[in-house]
């Protein structure tokens, strides 16, 4: 018997005469739902450790460890309170695991799952009354608020955010936003030059549960990519409090001004690293927002941080749910991948990811591509050297930690992939497997909607693309690169080539007017050279080779 099983058995209580709940892997809190209101000795929880889910994609080891360690600690915490626990280790879908339990225990309650994949999994049980869906109390806003904020698509986060601010009163006074405007985004765009000093991320104590999870991964999931670092693995309630206290003291006062900055000297700068625990509900978004409202912070930092949670996080959840993960949008249905994608793993590893044994109803997600991109994801995203210092540095950080902050995700990883015409679905799958905070409801809107513009202007206004100038201005990555951002960086040519290829499609977009006007100033010879650089860059990276200035086309 494992140490975890012994600890759980030592805390076990009589399971008879209980009202039973199924708690998914990302609802690990007793401050929401029935656990927050009903007596512990009257409740039973079903928790599932699912090897099939873990193996469905080549998930980062740190991500698997985060979910498993938090799930096990949550089980022990609830058993300590007197809640009866049925903790299953299963090798099939969640629906298959729950079906025999329903016959034993009767219908189970479950808060509405956040992930579309899990909702599909549970639908047969729901249809026959074996599950009772109750509202998910982890969200800060309602479907009705989302609908009331905008009459029709295209949907816009700023309209939703303004509506929610007015409805909740957050950062409002006498019906008006504090500081006279809803967003201080224009004030939060400073590059970071090394001062003020950026904080080192906190380390968390080792414990036997974390160590046992690490052993499990070494034995059964060693073929998964990424490094595992237990010192950077928050799993207990004490760990969560440590992270939150660190974020409040060290990050939030300076979060706003340097929100968009990137640096080789600090991976996270003043970003809080809270998203992975928020998405598991080990830290509740409602608590975080309410505490930040009361903090003595510069308004630009306070508003900018709250906008990430009350605005963007809630917004992407609603658009994902309203469109069934963009399978069905107001502009029509998208093509659907027949099986879970592996994000280019096979191209890098030179071996295929084991075929998923998912039931037929499990597809691999929507495949929109408003600009028609279909290039495979280069092995550089898995660690092959690209020769571009910005890309190589951020990719290395991701595979070391399962983390990088949101501007490196958008303006390095997604930007470069979009300039290379990478398949939006494959890039989405890569983000899904590589990041510890990635689940379908958050990663698909962020990558398909914002990172690649694969949905057109359905949820964002324009493609977020740039050449070398933006990365040079907002980071120090170029200092360690073989390419000069002002002379020969391929990214600038890729940017102009991208605009040229899609000029007609993008022309009606008002936010692209200035960029397209600049494009029209480029001579025909410059345009041809841009396209040659694009083809050379794409071919070189797909061959898992590094770019060099000497080999660029003249």
């Amino acid at each position: 018997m494992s140490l975890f099983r012994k600890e759980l058995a030592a805390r076990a209580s009589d399971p008879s005469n209980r009202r039973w709940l199924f708690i998914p892997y990302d609802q690990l809190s007793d401050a929401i739902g029935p656990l927050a209101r009903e007596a512990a000795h009257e409740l039973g929880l079903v928790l599932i450790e699912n090897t099939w889910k873990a193996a469905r994609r080549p998930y980062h080891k740190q991500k698997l460890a985060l979910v498993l360690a938090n799930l096990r600690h949550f089980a022990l915490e609830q058993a300590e309170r007197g809640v009866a626990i049925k903790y299953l280790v299963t090798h099939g879908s969640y629906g298959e695991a729950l079906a025999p339990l329903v016959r034993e225990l009767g219908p189970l309650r479950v808060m509405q799952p956040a992930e579309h994949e899990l909702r599909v999994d549970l639908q047969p049980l729901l249809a026959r009354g074996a599950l009772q869906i109750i509202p998910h109390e982890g969200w800060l806003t309602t479907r009705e608020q989302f609908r009331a904020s905008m009459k029709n698509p295209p949907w816009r986060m700023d309209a939703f955010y303004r509506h929610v601010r007015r409805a909740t009163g957050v950062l409002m006074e006498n019906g008006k936003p504090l500081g006279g405007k809803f967003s201080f985004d224009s004030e939060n765009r400073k590059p970071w030059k090394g001062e003020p000093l950026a904080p080192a991320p906190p380390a968390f104590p080792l414990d036997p549960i974390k160590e046992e999870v690490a052993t499990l991964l070494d034995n059964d999931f060693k073929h998964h990519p990424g490094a595992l670092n237990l010192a950077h693995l928050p799993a207990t309630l004490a760990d969560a409090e440590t992270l939150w206290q660190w974020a409040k003291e060290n990050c939030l006062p300076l979060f706003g001004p340097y929100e968009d900055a990137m640096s080789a000297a600090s991976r996270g700068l003043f970003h809080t690293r809270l998203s992975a625990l928020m998405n598991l509900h080990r830290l509740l978004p409602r608590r975080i927002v309410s505490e930040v409202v009361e903090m003595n912070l510069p308004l630009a930092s306070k508003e900018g941080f709250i906008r990430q949670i009350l605005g963007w996080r809630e917004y992407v959840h609603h658009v994902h749910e309203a469109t069934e993960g963009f399978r069905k949008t107001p502009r029509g249905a998208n093509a659907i991948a027949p099986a879970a994608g592996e994000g280019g793993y096979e191209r890098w590893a030179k071996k295929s990811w084991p075929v998923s044994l998912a039931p037929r109803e499990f597809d691999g997600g929507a495949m929109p591509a408003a600009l028609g991109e279909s290039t495979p994801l280069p092995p550089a995203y898995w660690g092959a050297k690209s020769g571009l210092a910005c890309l190589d540095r951020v990719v290395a950080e991701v595979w070391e930690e399962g983390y990088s902050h949101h501007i490196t995700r958008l303006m390095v990883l997604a930007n470069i992939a979009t300039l290379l015409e990478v398949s939006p679905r494959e890039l989405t799958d890569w983000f899904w497997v590589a990041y510890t905070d990635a689940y379908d409801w958050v990663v698909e809107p962020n990558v398909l909607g914002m990172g690649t513009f694969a949905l057109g202007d359905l949820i964002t206004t324009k493609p977020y693309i740039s050449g070398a100038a933006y990365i040079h201005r907002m980071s120090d990555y170029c200092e360690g690169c073989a390419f000069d951002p002002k002379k020969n960086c391929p990214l600038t040519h890729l940017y102009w080539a991208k605009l040229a290829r899609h000029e007609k499609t993008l022309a009606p977009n008002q936010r692209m007017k200035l960029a397209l006007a600049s494009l029209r100033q480029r001579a025909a010879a410059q345009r041809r050279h841009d396209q040659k650089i694009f083809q050379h860059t794409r071919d070189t990276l797909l061959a898992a080779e590094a770019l060099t200035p000497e080999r660029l086309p003249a």
Side-chain angles (χ1 to χ4, degrees), residues 223-237:
H223 56 295
H224 280 252
L228 174 58
N229 186 334
L230 294 184
H232 289 156
L233 183 72
T236 67
L237 290 177

Side-chain angles (χ1 to χ4, degrees), residues 338-469:
E342 33 84 302
Y345 170 88
E346 181 175 352
R347 205 168 300 112
W348 164 74
K350 308 298 184 188
K351 58 183 178 182
S352 61
W353 187 251
V355 176
S356 170
L357 299 177
R360 185 174 300 172
E361 62 266 24
F362 289 90
D363 61 50
M367 298 194 298
L371 300 179
E373 303 97 328
S374 60
T375 299
L377 187 70
Y381 281 72
W382 291 87
K385 294 301 181 184
S386 72
L388 301 170
C390 56
L391 179 60
D392 290 342
R393 178 169 291 278
V394 175
V395 166
E397 292 172 358
V398 170
W399 289 116
E400 287 174 18
E401 288 195 58
Y403 168 83
S404 71
H405 70 70
H406 73 264
I407 295 301
T408 55
R409 301 187 201 203
L410 178 65
M411 299 309 300
V412 176
L413 299 171
N415 175 42
I416 292 174
T418 301
L419 297 180
L420 290 170
E421 302 278 338
V422 165
S423 156
R425 181 71 249 172
E426 188 157 282
L427 182 66
T428 299
D429 292 333
W430 180 85
F431 272 96
W432 197 344
V433 304
Y435 279 88
T436 59
D437 59 3
Y439 299 90
D440 62 10
W441 65 267
V442 62
V443 75
E444 289 179 330
N446 273 295
V447 183
L448 296 175
M450 192 175 194
T452 64
F453 204 61
L455 295 163
D457 68 352
L458 180 64
I459 70 169
T460 54
T461 57
K462 67 169 186 175
Y464 284 83
I465 53 175
S466 77

Side-chain angles (χ1 to χ4, degrees), residues 32 76 164 176 202 246 299 319 397 407 428 474 539:
I32 54 176
L76 295 175
V164 170
K176 295 183 179 180
W246 171 83
L299 183 55
V319 297
E397 292 172 358
I407 295 301
T428 299
M474 295 305 299
D539 292 348

